[in-house]
Amino acid sequence: MIPGRYCHGAHPPAVPLSALTRAPNAVVAARPGSSESTAPSGRLPPPPAIETVALTRAFGDFTAVDGLTLRVPKGAFYGFLGPNGSGKTTTIKILAGLLRPTGGTARVAGLDVVEHPLEVKRRIGLLSEDLTLYERLTGREMLEFSGRLHGVPQDEIRNRSDELLDLLDLEERADEMVVDYSQGMKKKASLAAALLHDPEVLLLDEPFNGVDPVSARVIKSILQKLSKTQTTVFLSSHVLEVVERLCTEVAVIHRGKLVGAGPLDELRASASLGGGTSLEEVFLKLVDAPDREGGLSWKR
């Protein structure tokens, strides 16, 4: 079997996927080994799930990420916002071990992404914006392939695949090739593959783009309940209403630089805005967006 996340011993009992669709007030078990279930009083807090220090990535003369310093607590639902071209996707690719930084450091699940890229990949789930999928596999085969890469036992792959396909309304098309899926279906299949191995950190780059409202609601519910299992969710999205409703903390990046980070109340204060101000207004203030009214000169 290909070594997976728990390659040095037996798999701990996994949090069942059915827990993700329990009633909102249901208690979800903490991940085995999490600070919720084992940390005695007086013990040092666990290391952050994601930490970057002066992270930089340049492409020739263009600096996409410029000295980014972030600290994402374990179990946080963290929003990562910025205008188009601000460096969000580049940052996520670095955190996933797909792109090497040109300066600074990044650690995910306590591991340096440059020194331990394979181990980082074992501990994360990734939904990338460009959706690079194995399109000549069926949806079910793609999930099996992903599970085997991560060393998930065969019976667990089968059970989790069935549940994820059902949750994401892909069951009826599970035995069709991914190449024949719509964009929204590909997004859901990619999310299922990212969740299958029960990752410690889930990196999501625009997960709601191209997804219908019904599926978007299911995805939101799954992600919200994931945060209660100590899975860290790092979400990049332009849908600010979703970020405001789901995220415990938010970071805003503009032209590669961090311009604000923390709980929404702290962001409001840093933007000199009052309580109750929407995340959209805070975001526009932090990125210094021009105040332009819509309209076309030839449509007066």
Side-chain angles (χ1 to χ4, degrees), residues 45-65:
I50 298 172
E51 185 173 29
T52 69
V53 178
L55 186 67
T56 302
R57 173 68 203 201
F59 298 91
D61 295 333
F62 174 68
T63 302
V65 179

Side-chain angles (χ1 to χ4, degrees), residues 133-146 161 165 170-181 185 189-190 193:
L133 303 174
Y134 299 98
E135 294 194 335
R136 292 298 170 179
L137 297 179
T138 67
R140 195 182 304 278
E141 288 170 343
M142 192 182 80
L143 294 186
E144 180 176 357
F145 180 66
S146 177
S161 294
L165 291 167
L170 291 171
E171 181 63 36
E172 291 185 3
R173 305 283 297 275
D175 297 313
E176 297 179 21
M177 287 196 297
V178 174
V179 70
D180 294 323
Y181 284 6
M185 291 172 65
S190 184

Side-chain angles (χ1 to χ4, degrees), residues 111-298:
L111 298 165
D112 188 284
V113 299
V114 174
E115 295 178 1
H116 306 285
L118 291 180
E119 189 59 34
V120 167
K121 289 181 176 70
R122 291 187 182 106
R123 295 169 184 246
I124 67 169
L126 172 65
L127 174 58
S128 61
E129 188 177 24
D130 51 14
L131 291 180
T132 304
L133 303 174
Y134 299 98
E135 294 194 335
R136 292 298 170 179
L137 297 179
T138 67
R140 195 182 304 278
E141 288 170 343
M142 192 182 80
L143 294 186
E144 180 176 357
F145 180 66
S146 177
R148 292 178 66 181
L149 281 177
H150 286 279
V152 180
Q154 190 65 38
D155 59 339
E156 284 293 321
I157 293 174
R158 183 167 50 253
N159 293 337
R160 295 182 188 185
S161 294
D162 288 345
E163 193 159 2
L164 283 164
L165 291 167
D166 180 60
L167 283 173
L168 293 167
D169 196 27
L170 291 171
E171 181 63 36
E172 291 185 3
R173 305 283 297 275
D175 297 313
E176 297 179 21
M177 287 196 297
V178 174
V179 70
D180 294 323
Y181 284 6
S182 68
Q183 179 71 6
M185 291 172 65
K186 289 178 180 178
K187 184 71 64 81
K188 292 190 290 183
S190 184
L191 177 60
L195 289 171
L196 186 73
H197 59 288
D198 190 22
E200 294 180 40
V201 178
L202 187 60
L203 304 174
L204 305 175
D205 195 2
E206 298 294 346
F208 300 106
N209 278 4
V211 177
D212 65 84
V214 174
S215 298
R217 182 178 181 180
V218 173
I219 292 173
K220 291 175 207 172
S221 177
I222 290 173
L223 297 181
Q224 194 166 37
K225 291 179 174 64
L226 267 176
S227 66
K228 298 177 183 179
T229 68
Q230 285 297 292
T231 299
T232 303
V233 180
F234 189 80
L235 167 69
S236 170
S237 177
H238 290 302
V239 187
L240 299 187
E241 296 86 354
V242 171
V243 175
E244 184 170 4
R245 186 162 61 252
L246 296 182
C247 294
T248 54
E249 296 188 44
V250 176
V252 180
I253 186 175
H254 183 43
R255 296 175 180 169
K257 294 181 178 290
L258 185 70
V259 295
L264 185 53
D265 285 342
E266 291 183 13
L267 286 179
R268 291 188 181 108
S270 67
S272 301
L273 295 171
T277 305
S278 70
L279 178 58
E280 179 181 9
E281 293 177 85
V282 174
F283 173 79
L284 294 174
K285 180 73 177 292
L286 288 172
V287 302
D288 196 23
D291 186 11
R292 296 173 179 161
E293 293 186 2
L296 300 171
S297 61
W298 66 90

Side-chain angles (χ1 to χ4, degrees), residues 88-101:
K88 303 186 302 297
T89 295
T90 299
T91 300
I92 288 175
K93 286 183 177 179
I94 293 172
L95 296 178
L98 301 177
L99 190 64
R100 292 176 68 93

